[in-house]
Amino acid sequence: MAVLRERLQQLLEPVVEALGYELVLLEFSPSTKSGLLRLYIDSPGGITIEDCERVSREVAGQLDVEDPISSGYRLEVSSPGLDRPLVKPSHYERFVGEQARVQLLAPRDGRRRFVGWIRVAGTDAVQLETQDGLVELPYAEIDRARLVPEYDRE
């Protein structure tokens, strides 16, 4: 499964970038009936429905030519949203000062989930200021992370 996800990433990221967008996250959930391939895209000016349609057409064409998925699937393209996923070190760096929710692959000191303000985004780890103090979390230990949206922000 991880091999297919990596293959899809290598195949589709150049297509998305050639259109002028960033591929924030690629998720693939196979199923015996109909799997789901979801791409989250972003750009400095934000994402519109037309952007998603444009990327969807190009990605669908590439998938038709290469045919990397042997079973049925649905393709979805969307913006990362206010609770955008944080995947790459550059994502954490871009959102220093924002609040994030991080889940680790394995517990650390009995905890897998951390919520805090991103204070430092290094090349190997991120530092979060949590209610219990500063914690450093290596990217290699992070299962998933998302921004915590502030809905009352102007």
Side-chain angles (χ1 to χ4, degrees):
M1 169 84 109
V3 173
L4 178 56
R5 189 173 291 121
E6 288 174 23
R7 168 87 171 104
L8 290 168
Q9 182 85 23
Q10 292 170 354
L11 180 66
L12 300 178
E13 191 165 29
V15 174
V16 173
E17 288 178 354
L19 294 170
Y21 304 99
E22 174 192 8
L23 179 57
V24 175
L25 179 65
L26 179 148
E27 296 176 334
F28 179 63
S29 303
S31 174
T32 53
K33 293 185 180 189
S34 179
L36 175 63
L37 175 59
R38 182 178 293 132
L39 307 179
Y40 294 96
I41 61 169
D42 202 6
S43 74
I47 296 297
T48 65
I49 295 289
E50 291 78 19
D51 296 323
C52 293
E53 290 172 349
R54 181 176 178 218
V55 170
S56 181
R57 279 192 302 273
E58 292 297 319
V59 164
Q62 183 72 15
L63 290 169
D64 286 346
V65 169
E66 297 291 331
D67 199 23
I69 303 172
S70 59
S71 60
Y73 65 93
R74 288 185 337 263
L75 172 63
E76 290 183 8
V77 178
S78 72
S79 76
L82 293 176
D83 64 337
R84 68 175 292 132
L86 303 170
V87 181
K88 305 169 186 172
S90 62
H91 295 162
Y92 292 90
E93 185 177 316
R94 177 176 169 193
F95 293 102
V96 166
E98 300 287 332
Q99 193 174 34
R101 177 176 288 113
V102 178
Q103 181 173 313
L104 300 179
L105 293 164
R108 173 192 278 186
D109 300 324
R111 291 179 62 185
R112 285 186 63 204
R113 294 184 177 96
F114 295 85
V115 177
W117 301 95
I118 302 171
R119 293 300 177 217
V120 177
T123 55
D124 298 318
V126 62
Q127 289 183 1
L128 292 183
E129 184 180 329
T130 70
Q131 65 184 18
D132 300 324
L134 201 61
V135 61
E136 184 167 286
L137 304 172
Y139 298 124
E141 295 179 17
I142 296 175
D143 180 33
R144 67 185 76 151
R146 288 188 171 271
L147 287 181
V148 176
E150 287 187 46
Y151 295 108
D152 59 352
R153 186 182 298 164
E154 294 280 324

